[in-house]
């Protein structure tokens, strides 16, 4: 069986000899006396453990090289366990090394039995961390659908609808708050469809001025308006045979809504400044964070266009309603940003995990992603703490009460549906618009006794 590797970095031959003699029975021991060789060995041999003398040249009392090796070693392998070896007068430096990511420190003179215990504990923790990372990655892949991560009942319903609607050509309306992943869902519809090898055009109807949006969608002829120096092909025409995603469709003007309705009915367009009819084969997926039915009542959105767009509607739940997905997403972003920024950050402490679970996430997944990125960059420890996230628990009671209120409302809603259906789970699920499996998940979550209470 292959032994775990330990790298001993010390400029004193006697210290290296002593540690090699004591540890060679349990580890494959490799050695270095300075920075250059140490870094080369870390890259080449990939040791699990490193003992590192803070002061590599006792005659010069040079502590900086030891610290530099520590930082560079953890940049190469954030899970490498580094034990700093220090003299009695260097405790403050050792504590500084701990803040930089060292696992522990040990004061000279070396007691071999004690350092063996420290190394054994460090190796055990490292193996647990690596296994946890592996399981987290597997979990993320298991609950990943076309780059969308989620395992809660609401997201399983979303994945199911996307799988069923993607092979068809029907228009799809995606509804959800800002930051819930509407564009990811639209891309999933496209890339799960027979059109996946054709173009996907994306246009944000709320980000382009009204006078330019028509040209962006339908194109224009040269000279059709001021500054139209050349002919322009619109997004609909460029995406022929593919899909066009219209984000924030609720911001489209009434005039353009008429033209979009005509396209959905006739599948033809006219470029601005042209009377030529161009026949297109384009699937439309639209998204909004607005209440389009309310806009219809206000006269700012056409009812006939709404029904053309919403042949199938996908409702993305806000993050505050995806409690079991919060830490799953947080771990995904933590691993991603730690790798991108070469930071030895390995997880969240208990308080940080609690703060994330109890926070209401008004900005949804986009806010979570930004907070995790901020935390990884600012973190001074191996684990993220609430301060890194910019979250505090001083509003804990208020957050809990809001969470409790939502749970009570969910329970009441489920109970009323069960009463109305006389205990039929299938009918109750249909009544509130979710799948039977998701309804059962909610029953288990809230421990609702269906048979005893509602089947009378």
């Amino acid at each position: 069986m292959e032994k775990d590797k330990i790298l001993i970095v010390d400029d004193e031959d006697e210290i290296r000899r002593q540690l090699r003699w004591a540890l060679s029975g349990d580890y494959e021991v490799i050695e270095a006396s300075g920075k250059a060789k140490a870094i080369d060995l870390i890259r080449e041999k990939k040791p699990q453990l490193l003992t590192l003398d803070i002061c590599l040249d006792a005659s010069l009392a040079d502590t900086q090289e030891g610290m530099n090796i520590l930082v560079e070693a953890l940049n190469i392998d954030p899970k490498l366990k580094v034990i700093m070896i220090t003299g009695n007068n260097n405790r403050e430096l050792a504590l500084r090394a701990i803040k930089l990511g060292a696992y522990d420190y040990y004061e000279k003179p070396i007691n071999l039995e004690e350092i063996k215990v420290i190394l054994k504990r460090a190796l055990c923790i490292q193996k647990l961390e690596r296994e946890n990372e592996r399981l987290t990655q597997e979990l993320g892949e298991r609950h990943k659908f076309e780059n969308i991560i989620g395992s809660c009942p609401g997201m399983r319903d979303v994945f199911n609808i996307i799988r069923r609607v993607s092979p068809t050509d029907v228009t799809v309306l995606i509804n959800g708050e800002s930051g819930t992943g509407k564009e990811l869902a639209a891309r999933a519809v496209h890339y799960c469809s027979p059109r996946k090898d054709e173009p996907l055009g994306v246009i944000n109807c709320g980000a382009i001025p009204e006078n330019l949006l028509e040209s962006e969608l339908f194109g224009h002829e040269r000279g059709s308006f001021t500054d139209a120096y050349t002919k322009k092909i619109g997004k609909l025409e460029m995406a022929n045979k593919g899909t066009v995603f219209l984000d924030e469709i609720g911001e489209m003007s009434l005039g353009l809504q008429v033209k979009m309705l005509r396209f959905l009915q006739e599948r033809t367009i006219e470029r601005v400044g042209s009377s030529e009819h161009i026949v297109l084969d384009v699937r439309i997926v639209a998204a909004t964070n607005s209440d389009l039915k309310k806009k219809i009542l206000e006269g700012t959105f056409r009812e006939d266009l709404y029904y053309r767009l919403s042949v199938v509607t996908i409702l993305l739940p806000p993050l505050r309603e995806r409690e079991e997905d919060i830490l799953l997403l947080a771990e995904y972003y933590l691993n991603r940003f730690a790798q991108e920024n070469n930071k030895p950050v390995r997880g969240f402490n208990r308080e940080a995990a609690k703060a994330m679970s109890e926070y209401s996430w008004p900005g949804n997944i986009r806010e979570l992603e930004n907070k995790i990125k901020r935390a990884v960059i600012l973190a001074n420890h191996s684990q993220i703490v609430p301060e890194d996230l910019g979250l505090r628990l001083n509003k804990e009671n208020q957050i809990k009460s809001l969470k409790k209120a939502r749970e009570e409302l969910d329970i009441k809603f489920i109970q009323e549906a069960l009463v109305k259906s006389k205990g039929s789970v299938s009918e109750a699920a249909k009544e509130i618009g979710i799948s039977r499996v998701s309804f059962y998940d909610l029953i288990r979550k809230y421990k609702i006794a269906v048979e005893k209470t509602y089947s009378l």
Side-chain angles (χ1 to χ4, degrees):
M1 184 176 176
E2 189 176 343
K3 292 180 180 180
D4 296 304
K5 299 184 185 72
I6 182 168
L7 170 61
I8 301 168
V9 180
D10 201 298
D11 63 327
E12 294 185 42
D13 294 339
E14 179 59 27
I15 295 290
R16 295 201 310 275
R17 185 196 63 76
Q18 185 181 13
L19 287 172
R20 182 175 65 250
W21 175 82
L23 302 175
S24 58
D26 298 317
Y27 304 95
E28 179 185 334
V29 179
I30 49 182
E31 304 173 37
S33 59
K35 179 182 176 182
K37 187 176 181 182
I39 297 303
D40 286 344
L41 286 171
I42 291 168
R43 287 199 175 99
E44 179 187 347
K45 298 293 186 179
K46 298 179 174 54
Q48 287 78 35
L49 300 169
L50 165 63
T51 65
L52 175 60
D53 189 5
I54 286 182
C55 187
L56 281 175
D57 190 335
S59 63
L60 297 175
D62 182 9
T63 62
Q64 192 56 49
E65 185 167 4
M67 292 296 186
N68 289 342
I69 293 173
L70 169 65
V71 172
E72 197 165 338
L74 291 176
N75 281 339
I76 296 168
D77 180 5
K79 288 185 171 51
L80 176 64
K81 288 290 177 272
V82 184
I83 290 84
M84 306 300 291
I85 306 294
T86 174
N88 291 328
N89 60 341
N90 284 336
R91 183 169 295 186
E92 287 186 10
L93 286 171
L95 293 174
R96 199 175 108 208
I98 296 291
K99 289 184 178 180
L100 288 173
Y103 169 74
D104 206 343
Y105 71 95
Y106 189 83
E107 293 181 356
K108 297 177 181 178
I110 293 174
N111 180 308
L112 294 176
E113 293 307 313
E114 288 183 8
I115 203 165
K116 282 182 179 181
V117 171
I118 292 173
L119 291 170
K120 186 175 181 180
R121 188 171 66 236
L123 182 62
C124 180
I125 289 174
Q126 193 221 46
K127 287 182 176 180
L128 287 172
E129 287 176 354
R130 291 193 187 277
E131 178 66 7
N132 180 62
E133 182 180 54
R134 184 186 68 78
L135 291 173
T136 298
Q137 288 174 346
E138 283 185 6
L139 188 64
E141 290 302 317
R142 195 178 307 137
H143 296 300
K144 195 173 184 180
F145 175 75
E146 291 295 323
N147 293 320
I148 310 172
I149 294 173
S151 63
C152 70
M155 290 308 296
R156 290 206 300 270
D157 282 340
V158 168
F159 298 158
N160 186 44
I161 293 172
I162 291 174
R163 288 189 188 97
R164 292 164 66 184
V165 76
S166 292
T168 73
D169 277 333
V170 299
T171 55
V172 177
L173 179 64
I174 303 169
N175 201 286
E177 296 177 11
S178 292
T180 49
K182 296 187 290 295
E183 185 172 338
L184 281 178
R187 290 181 179 277
V189 171
H190 174 72
Y191 289 115
C192 289
S193 77
R195 299 172 181 264
K196 63 184 179 181
D197 296 322
E198 302 297 337
L200 170 64
V202 178
I203 190 162
N204 189 319
C205 301
I208 301 173
E210 181 182 344
N211 61 328
L212 296 179
L213 183 56
E214 181 177 6
S215 175
E216 284 293 316
L217 283 168
F218 302 102
H220 64 251
E221 296 292 340
R222 179 181 178 185
S224 57
F225 55 86
T226 305
D227 297 330
Y229 300 117
T230 59
K231 181 172 76 172
K232 177 183 175 65
I233 305 299
K235 285 286 177 70
L236 288 169
E237 194 173 345
M238 286 195 301
N240 193 30
K241 305 295 184 183
T243 305
V244 167
F245 171 51
L246 301 175
D247 199 6
E248 302 307 337
I249 189 72
E251 303 302 314
M252 184 179 283
S253 69
L254 285 168
L256 273 181
Q257 288 178 39
V258 173
K259 295 190 175 186
M260 182 53 61
L261 177 63
R262 187 181 301 126
F263 168 71
L264 290 172
Q265 291 171 334
E266 301 174 4
R267 297 294 168 175
T268 63
I269 64 164
E270 295 175 12
R271 298 192 196 111
V272 177
S274 172
S275 58
E276 178 189 0
H277 291 274
I278 302 171
V279 179
L280 297 178
D281 174 19
V282 177
R283 182 184 196 170
I284 296 296
V285 179
T288 182
N289 61 7
S290 306
D291 184 344
L292 293 186
K293 290 184 178 179
K294 184 180 178 182
K295 281 182 170 286
I296 291 169
L297 293 174
E298 294 170 348
T300 58
F301 201 84
R302 293 182 62 95
E303 186 173 18
D304 46 6
L305 178 59
Y306 171 76
Y307 287 116
R308 282 281 182 178
L309 292 171
S310 59
V311 176
V312 173
T313 299
I314 298 174
L315 179 61
L316 293 179
L319 189 56
R320 61 183 172 274
E321 295 177 8
R322 299 173 56 185
E323 185 177 347
E324 53 264 66
D325 288 348
I326 292 172
L327 291 179
L328 182 67
L329 286 159
E331 289 282 356
Y332 168 79
Y333 287 123
L334 176 70
N335 291 332
R336 173 180 148 190
F337 293 132
Q339 187 173 14
E340 287 178 2
N341 293 279
N342 289 321
K343 291 293 290 285
V345 184
R346 302 176 184 87
F348 303 91
N349 72 2
R350 187 175 300 174
E351 290 76 18
K354 184 178 181 184
M356 287 190 294
S357 296
E358 295 179 348
Y359 182 57
S360 60
W361 297 109
N364 292 296
I365 300 169
R366 187 180 294 121
E367 182 184 10
L368 173 67
E369 179 181 2
N370 289 336
K371 283 192 180 294
I372 300 298
K373 188 172 187 178
R374 171 190 189 271
V376 169
I377 291 170
L378 296 180
N380 288 322
H381 311 279
S382 61
Q383 288 193 314
I384 299 294
V385 299
E387 290 74 20
D388 298 328
L389 293 160
L391 296 178
R392 287 184 172 83
L393 296 174
N394 56 355
K395 294 185 179 179
E396 181 178 344
N397 293 334
Q398 179 185 356
I399 294 168
K400 281 186 175 179
S401 65
L402 288 172
K403 183 179 173 185
K404 185 68 175 175
R406 285 199 302 271
E407 289 180 353
E408 289 173 354
L409 189 62
D410 284 347
I411 292 169
K412 183 180 178 183
F413 197 38
I414 293 166
Q415 289 172 333
E416 288 176 352
L418 285 167
V419 168
K420 189 174 180 180
S421 68
K422 297 181 181 179
S424 169
V425 171
S426 298
E427 291 299 319
K430 187 185 295 184
E431 175 70 22
I432 64 175
I434 64 174
S435 70
R436 189 168 177 267
V437 173
S438 297
F439 197 88
Y440 265 119
D441 285 340
L442 291 172
I443 288 171
R444 284 193 290 269
K445 179 179 178 180
Y446 296 123
K447 299 177 181 177
I448 298 172
V450 179
E451 293 79 5
K452 295 180 180 178
T453 311
Y454 304 104
S455 57
L456 301 176

